[in-house]
Every structure is written in structure tokens, then in C-alpha cells.
Amino acid sequence: MPVETIKWENGKVKLIDQTILPHKFKYIICKDAKSLWHAIKTLKVRGAPAIGIAAAFGVILGIKDSKAKRFDLFFKELRRVTKYLASARPTAINLFWALARMECVAKNSNRNEISKIKKILLKEALKILDEDKKSCRRMAKYGSGLVKDGDSILTHCNAGGLATADYGTALGVLFEARKQGKSMHVYVDETRPLLQGARLTAWELIHEGIDTTLICDNMAASLMAKGKIDKIFVGADRIARNGDAANKIGTYNLAILARHHHIPFYVVAPLSSFDFRVKTGADIPIEERDGDEVRKVLGRVMIAPRNVKVYNPAFDVTPNKYITAIVTEKGIFKRPYSNALSVIARSRRRRSNLKREIASALRASQ
Ligand code: MRU
């Protein structure tokens, strides 16, 4: 059973504090947009889909006490909240996607009383959460077909239940394959500097009874050279129109190693992680984080000279040519992604005006 990473409970957001896992399991309560922003910024809630869902609820927290009587005044307040939440982290597109969707729904409900609009917005945030659950299951179904009984799999960072509302993306594929009776061995990159692999992925896999081995990031090449990896599954924080995929720093290394060793490299991500405005990965903004994350281990033990300069990008971009396929809730896509993705984009637009407005609001929100 997946853990419940995010809940809406009694008018508040309840989140698992991912910074203290695996040794402590604690929920934190966010009562306002400020504490929610802080939870995203400090990675208490993390992983692209989970950030998007949290932000949608953050909008509710930010506008729930609004005294505005007119829509234009209410919308101004809402825009202030979405802009503020959007400033928490720059790379995962799901954050901006969810905020833009909330803005769109507010605009489309402008004929209603403000109290009714607040209810409509809450319904939308709950819908975003529910849709993520469903797309996790669909990605898992599609992706599990790529896993063979006895496979040895490598994963990076955490693309599991903690990063989503349900099964996870890359890990969801493994959970589903296992449910189908396939056995597998999973190697987990520790994922320096914040150790999402060691702390979160290893915890989730062990919890599910999957045979798991933790490795340091710099051990992947030697494992591949020894023929110990059959497939690689990772998540994504933002995928450009051409299929270039931003994910946790170190993913690109793995993709190049995989190509050299003829190992399939799969990205698993929902459509909410695609950014159709971005043509190639070169245009994806990459978050740079505090140098102390590298100078110290888990913010506690200083392991380098205090004044050493640090380069600490949180993500890198894997060029599409190194990606064997992208698994989504709409199926598995291969290069050239532009064709497949434009088919998805067209079908999204056809389905409703809302989708078109989301695209334009997305443009405006960044
Ligand atoms: O900095 P994080 O921990 O938010 O980075 C998360 C990742 O890079 C995940 O691999 C990615 O969001 C995919 S999660 C479904």
C-alpha cells in the first residue's frame, strides 16, 4: 500500500516530513500558504507531482480567509498567492501547471459568489490529487510490461509514492511488476547531496519487500560493466517538447553510461510533467541550491572546508537521444517525441477549453 504523502484534513494540508525519513515518520500540518511554501522550499514535500498537488492546496490555504466581495479583487489576491507559491522551486513544471490550473478554474467560475468559488477551487485541488493517483496506476500498468521476471534494475533519486499521491512514477512501475508476480532486484543510487535514494527510495522498496541494494552514485558504471543492470527507470521534473528530460542531478550520467553499456533507459512521468512551451532541455530552468547541502552531510556534519566554493545544481537534463522511451499515463512514447507529444497536446486541447486556458495561464505564470 502506498503511503499517504499529502492529505487535505480539516481545512489544513497534512504532509509527511520527508526530510526526517527513514528513521522518523511524522506528518506536518500546513495551515497557511507560508508554511506550505516553506515545506516545498525545504523539501519536506518533494518530487514533481507531489509538489504540484501540495501547491494546489496551498492556493486554498492562501485564499480561504479572503474577505473580497468582488471577483476582480479576489482574483488579485489569488494571483498573489500563486505567484508566491511559484517562487518556492523553479524546475518541476508540475508546480506551475497546478497553479495555472487553479487560476484557470477561478477565472472560469467568475460569475459565482466568492464563497462558491472557494468551494470550486477546493474541489479542483482534490481532483488534482485524485487524478495523480489514477495516472500513477496507469503509468505503472504500461511500464510494468517493460519489466521481465528476474530483471536487475537501477533507479535514481526518489520517484516513488513519496513523490506523488499514490504509487509513484518509476517505482510505481516496479511495484506493479512485482504485483504481477515478477521478481526483481533493485539497485538504488544514494543520490547525493540530499540522499533521496538512500533515505526514501530504499525505505519504500524495503517496505514493499523488494530485494534492494543501495549504492553510492559513483558505483553505477562498475555495476553496468559487470553486466549487473538490465534496465534503468527514473522519474522526471520537466520534459521538453523534444523529449529532453530534467531530473535529479546525476540522471544524465546514468543515461550516458546506459548507452555505453547498451542498457535501456526509461523515464516515467505523467503528462503534468511535460512542458510544451519548452522546445528543448536547454530552456528548462535548473534550480541551484545552497552550498551547505554539499559541504555538509544532511545539514549536520561538515565534511569540507567551510569556505570552499560549491556548485550545487539540483537537476540535470538528459537529452532525448539517450532515453529509450518515456512511460506516461497515456502510453509509452519513443523518439521523435515531438510527434507523440503533439498528438497528446492536440487531444488535451480538444477535450476542453480549460486545457487551452491552462496552457496560456502557464505562459503567464512564469
Ligand atoms: O529535489 P527533489 O527531491 O524534489 O527531486 C525529485 C526528483 O528529481 C524526482 O526524481 C522527480 O521529481 C521525479 S518524481 C516522480
Side-chain angles (χ1 to χ4, degrees):
M1 269 300 283
V3 286
E4 267 199 287
T5 306
I6 306 172
K7 290 188 215 182
W8 176 256
E9 222 175 73
N10 305 323
K12 296 173 193 112
V13 183
K14 205 169 159 187
L15 301 166
I16 296 175
D17 182 351
Q18 300 192 32
T19 59
I20 57 173
L21 281 171
H23 301 299
K24 286 186 191 149
F25 184 96
K26 206 180 102 190
Y27 279 99
I28 54 162
I29 308 286
C30 297
K31 296 180 187 155
D32 49 31
K34 196 170 165 201
S35 55
L36 201 284
W37 181 93
H38 191 258
I40 295 176
K41 181 81 186 167
T42 58
L43 273 56
K44 287 186 189 315
V45 59
R46 48 143 301 284
I51 293 173
I53 298 160
F57 286 121
V59 173
I60 308 298
L61 296 177
I63 51 95
K64 70 178 183 341
D65 298 325
S66 168
K67 303 273 182 290
K69 294 268 179 288
R70 273 186 8 226
F71 180 78
D72 57 334
L73 299 176
F74 175 75
F75 194 71
K76 228 173 163 174
E77 283 184 40
L78 183 127
R79 270 292 282 160
R80 238 192 335 261
V81 175
T82 54
K83 272 193 126 167
Y84 171 62
L85 291 168
S87 70
R89 294 190 73 187
T91 303
I93 188 64
N94 310 60
L95 172 64
F96 310 102
W97 170 86
L99 295 173
R101 182 163 158 175
M102 296 298 278
E103 280 184 16
C104 253
V105 167
K107 267 195 202 149
N108 287 350
S109 331
N110 63 358
R111 287 173 200 278
N112 293 283
E113 301 220 330
I114 304 298
S115 59
K116 177 86 194 288
I117 299 177
K118 289 182 185 174
K119 283 189 189 135
I120 294 172
L121 284 169
L122 176 58
K123 214 167 144 198
E124 192 65 20
L126 290 165
K127 198 167 155 200
I128 288 174
L129 180 127
D130 193 54
E131 282 176 9
D132 187 66
K133 289 187 180 177
K134 289 187 180 127
S135 53
C136 281
R137 296 287 160 153
R138 283 195 211 110
M139 284 183 278
K141 275 259 149 52
Y142 284 119
S144 60
L146 301 167
V147 178
K148 284 209 188 91
D149 190 32
D151 266 352
S152 177
I153 288 160
L154 175 64
T155 190
H156 188 68
C157 193
N158 174 266
L162 290 164
T164 63
D166 187 73
Y167 236 16
T169 57
L171 293 195
V173 166
L174 310 187
F175 296 148
E176 180 61 31
R178 157 121 183 167
K179 228 169 81 184
Q180 294 165 0
K182 295 174 189 167
S183 76
M184 72 197 84
H185 181 96
V186 182
Y187 285 96
V188 179
D189 269 356
E190 63 172 352
T191 319
R192 271 280 286 159
L194 296 181
L195 307 174
Q196 288 93 330
R199 296 186 303 103
L200 310 175
T201 299
W203 179 75
E204 282 196 48
L205 289 169
I206 286 172
H207 192 257
E208 289 295 313
I210 292 178
D211 190 11
T212 303
T213 302
L214 178 65
I215 59 167
C216 296
D217 300 337
N218 51 8
M219 296 169 185
S222 101
L223 271 179
M224 291 185 207
K226 288 189 167 93
K228 292 210 182 267
I229 307 292
D230 296 310
K231 273 149 211 166
I232 300 176
F233 285 90
V234 296
D237 288 80
R238 189 184 302 216
I239 301 175
R241 221 155 58 212
N242 70 344
D244 293 350
N247 192 49
K248 181 54 58 193
I249 191 77
T251 305
Y252 177 31
N253 306 25
L254 290 184
I256 292 175
L257 289 172
R259 176 57 52 88
H260 181 79
H261 293 95
H262 310 290
I263 297 168
F265 180 91
Y266 298 110
V267 170
V268 188
L271 294 180
S272 54
S273 297
F274 287 82
D275 186 350
F276 295 110
R277 301 159 315 150
V278 163
K279 217 168 151 192
T280 76
D283 297 324
I284 297 178
I286 300 294
E287 176 178 15
E288 282 207 33
R289 296 186 60 92
D290 195 301
D292 270 355
E293 289 182 353
V294 177
R295 286 186 204 98
K296 296 179 181 177
V297 175
L298 290 179
R300 290 191 281 275
V301 186
M302 185 65 84
I303 53 166
R306 280 172 205 283
N307 55 352
V308 70
K309 273 190 274 176
V310 165
Y311 172 55
N312 186 19
F315 303 95
D316 58 25
V317 175
T318 300
N320 65 47
K321 65 179 176 187
Y322 295 116
I323 299 171
T324 310
I326 303 180
V327 180
T328 74
E329 71 272 37
K330 291 276 177 203
I332 300 178
F333 295 99
K334 290 192 171 179
R335 277 174 90 202
Y337 298 104
S338 47
N339 292 349
L341 298 182
S342 60
V343 171
I344 301 166
R346 271 202 304 277
S347 80
R348 280 215 251 179
R349 275 199 291 272
R350 232 179 285 130
R351 251 186 293 133
S352 75
N353 281 342
L354 177 66
K355 298 277 160 54
R356 195 168 32 240
E357 289 185 31
I358 287 171
S360 74
L362 261 168
R363 271 192 296 278
S365 74
Q366 279 193 306

